[in-house]
Amino acid sequence: MFTQEPTQQAAPHIRTFHPRRGRIGAARAEALGRLWPQRGYDIAGDGPGFDAAALFGRTAPLVLEIGCGMGEATAAMAAADPGRDYLGADVHTPGLANLLLLAEQGGLTNLRAARGDAVELLRDLMKPGSLDAVHVFFPDPWPKAKHHKRRIIRPDVVSLIRERLRPGGSLRCATDWAPYAEQMLETLTADPGLSNAHGGFAPRPADRPVTKFERRALAAGRRIFDLEFTRK
């Protein structure tokens, strides 16, 4: 187990996601059953520590995407970046099945799926300095004030992400929710171990694919905010 040394009694873990149920089609169900034993990782039950070399079959810089959705963007980025390994983490089984299906169809040997709470993966299973990058694209904005504590970009989770990044590793975020974007910028700027790569909001990175979700946001007139911070 790789945990932080607590200075006081640990606070109860606050979930950053809505548990979702969704029907899984026959093709995705078949792909999940066939591909998961070799390409999937269950955060709650696959051992005392995350072994990237065992899961990917090689040692390479590792990118963790928190909340990979249906996997289209993750697969596209993995295809364009074969020198790094990509791990898409989500709680939505149909999306993870689709991610594995896309990986198989694209012949992507550098893409794997993790099922469960990404905060638990970071906190309990990953070693400090083991990640090259973390991507948090369009997370749940939890717009009601009483739910802001559930946002994934909050000080305690940002500190955890930063500790799992190697020095010089990057945390990249994107959102179409302006109030959340401002809170993200404030929270990330306040972390003493992170440095803003652009001084404010980042220009839209060319390597981040435009997803259906982003196209809907743009069609609705919402601005897309990108951020990029690096570990000092």
Side-chain angles (χ1 to χ4, degrees), residues 30-40 97 100-104:
E30 187 277 333
L32 188 71
R34 180 167 47 81
L35 298 173
W36 192 263
Q38 290 76 41
R39 304 190 185 191
L100 293 182
L101 191 58
L102 291 171
E104 182 181 55

Side-chain angles (χ1 to χ4, degrees), residues 138 176 204 210-224:
F138 303 100
D176 65 324
R204 192 195 188 287
V210 180
T211 63
K212 293 179 181 178
F213 179 90
E214 185 174 355
R215 283 193 287 270
R216 287 198 297 267
L218 292 169
R222 295 193 297 274
R223 176 185 170 186
I224 307 300

Side-chain angles (χ1 to χ4, degrees), residues 108-124:
L108 304 178
T109 60
N110 65 330
L111 181 56
R112 300 289 188 269
R115 179 167 48 199
D117 189 339
V119 174
E120 293 181 4
L121 174 66
L122 288 162
R123 184 191 64 208
D124 300 334

Side-chain angles (χ1 to χ4, degrees), residues 58-143:
R58 69 170 185 172
T59 300
L62 179 62
V63 180
L64 172 65
E65 179 157 353
I66 299 175
C68 59
M70 296 304 291
E72 295 95 339
T74 315
M77 294 185 79
D81 189 16
R84 295 196 294 177
D85 290 333
Y86 281 71
L87 180 67
D90 211 301
V91 295
H92 190 228
T93 299
L96 295 173
N98 196 62
L99 175 71
L100 293 182
L101 191 58
L102 291 171
E104 182 181 55
Q105 292 170 346
L108 304 178
T109 60
N110 65 330
L111 181 56
R112 300 289 188 269
R115 179 167 48 199
D117 189 339
V119 174
E120 293 181 4
L121 174 66
L122 288 162
R123 184 191 64 208
D124 300 334
L125 301 169
M126 286 188 159
K127 295 179 180 179
S130 60
L131 293 171
D132 194 64
V134 174
H135 296 166
V136 186
F137 297 148
F138 303 100
D140 193 327
W142 294 97

Side-chain angles (χ1 to χ4, degrees), residues 14 19 51 77 89 96 107 120 125 138 146 179-180 189 198 220 227:
I14 300 172
D51 187 340
M77 294 185 79
L96 295 173
E120 293 181 4
L125 301 169
F138 303 100
K146 66 180 180 180
Y180 194 10
T189 300
H198 299 278
L227 301 103

